[in-house]
Amino acid sequence: MSSHDRTLFAGVDIGGTTTQVVLCAEDLTVLDRAEVATPATDGGQAMIGAAMGALAPLLKRTPGRLAGGGVGAAGVVDSATGRILVASDSFTGWAGFPVTDAVEKALGVPAFLDNDVNAFLHGEVSGGAVRGESDVLGMTLGTGVGGALWTGGALFTGPHGAAGEIGHIPGFGDLLCSCGGRGHLETLASGRSIGARYAERTGRRLTAREVAEAAGHGDQDALAVYRAAAAGIARAIVMTAGVVDITTVVVGGGVSGAWPLLEPLILASLAADPPVSGHPVRLVRAALAADAVPVGAAARARRELTAKVGG
């Protein structure tokens, strides 16, 4: 088969600051990628337009036939209707926007929408650090804390689309969370919260990366902040293992950049308070980095279209 006959899948990650696009072969190998600023305050059509504008030159210079596209987007989404249900204040005209309709109109192929954390997990299971695993908890530690569940070889979103959202389960203290709740894991383990917790202890404003660097240089306040974050992450893992018996965990997001610091702290907490099953936790760092969400979105399109052909 010539390259002109090969099947292609497009993947898009629409974030609050940047939009990532990839063009994948049928085996999800990334053939080309691009990045563009997200016009988050200009409305849904502008955001989709920016993504499609970034994708257009990739399609033009990559031989093959586009079969479908996937989109991963922050916020609460309705995958069945392809619409954004709830978006943060950083987006204008995004909630309620018919994402898949707009993408299908632009590309002329079927399109599918997922929450960005679900897409991240789909990507890591399809071609990343937990490739081929049947049961996985995915965690993203970024501006916020996201979670997703993969069980029985498929994404499990639950009847209301919120399965796996360990970032917003109470029981992690009493601090006010960005969502309005209290005591959520996000108040300890997000990048924003790590900086805030360090500032509370020292009066100094640092980014999560800078706090990690300070911890590496022996700053005890920085180490305490990361130890609290790790203990919270470990507790969330144990809670998940106790409810759904999943003990393979893949962690991504900007905070995971401090993996040499974070991993041993999480494992120490898990050793002190392991899952009730006694089964050891397999903890791995995400392998696809910035490609995880768009590759996962492309993987979702491939899965849906393959199932349709097979059915």
Side-chain angles (χ1 to χ4, degrees), residues 15-121:
T17 304
T18 61
T19 293
Q20 312 275 348
V21 299
V22 298
L23 200 56
C24 297
E26 196 162 11
D27 65 356
L28 299 180
T29 299
V30 176
L31 302 173
D32 207 347
R33 60 173 61 79
E35 179 181 307
V36 65
T38 302
T41 60
D42 295 339
Q45 194 58 56
M47 285 185 268
I48 295 300
M52 296 301 98
L55 188 59
L58 276 58
L59 289 166
K60 189 173 182 179
R61 65 185 179 231
T62 307
R65 178 188 61 84
L66 185 66
V71 179
V76 181
V77 310
D78 184 336
S79 292
T81 64
R83 288 177 176 268
I84 304 293
L85 295 181
V86 181
S88 74
D89 292 343
S90 60
F91 293 94
T92 300
W94 195 221
F97 188 77
V99 175
T100 55
D101 284 352
V103 173
E104 288 177 352
K105 184 177 180 180
L107 296 178
V109 295
F112 305 89
L113 175 67
D114 265 318
N115 165 274
D116 57 352
V117 185
N118 290 344
F120 155 82
L121 182 53

Side-chain angles (χ1 to χ4, degrees), residues 3 68 72 98 116 129 144 180 221 230 246 250 264:
S3 60
D116 57 352
D221 288 307
I246 290 177
V250 59

Side-chain angles (χ1 to χ4, degrees), residues 91-184:
F91 293 94
T92 300
W94 195 221
F97 188 77
V99 175
T100 55
D101 284 352
V103 173
E104 288 177 352
K105 184 177 180 180
L107 296 178
V109 295
F112 305 89
L113 175 67
D114 265 318
N115 165 274
D116 57 352
V117 185
N118 290 344
F120 155 82
L121 182 53
H122 211 139
E124 289 294 331
V125 171
S126 298
V130 286
R131 184 171 191 162
E133 295 277 353
S134 60
D135 302 280
V136 185
L137 167 65
M139 300 178 67
T140 55
L141 311 174
T143 303
V145 172
L149 289 174
W150 187 269
T151 181
L155 191 69
F156 177 69
T157 58
H160 309 295
E165 285 291 356
I166 42 77
H168 295 283
I169 295 173
F172 297 85
D174 193 45
L175 292 165
L176 183 64
C177 185
S178 63
C179 70
R182 284 191 174 275
H184 295 178

Side-chain angles (χ1 to χ4, degrees), residues 279-293:
H279 194 279
V281 170
R282 180 185 172 219
L283 181 72
V284 295
R285 184 182 179 186
L288 297 180
D291 283 345
V293 174

Side-chain angles (χ1 to χ4, degrees), residues 209-310:
R209 178 182 295 180
E210 290 168 338
V211 176
E213 290 171 355
H217 288 101
D219 184 323
Q220 291 303 304
D221 288 307
L223 187 57
V225 168
Y226 265 91
R227 190 177 288 117
I233 293 165
R235 188 170 183 218
I237 291 169
V238 170
M239 289 166 68
T240 303
V243 175
V244 294
D245 196 25
I246 290 177
T247 53
T248 295
V249 185
V250 59
V251 181
V255 173
S256 69
W259 198 242
L261 169 65
L262 200 56
E263 182 190 27
L265 294 175
I266 297 171
L267 292 175
S269 287
L270 288 170
D273 188 13
V276 66
S277 67
H279 194 279
V281 170
R282 180 185 172 219
L283 181 72
V284 295
R285 184 182 179 186
L288 297 180
D291 283 345
V293 174
V295 168
R300 163 77 191 282
R302 184 187 72 168
R303 185 183 183 94
E304 294 284 351
L305 294 170
T306 301
K308 191 173 292 186
V309 171

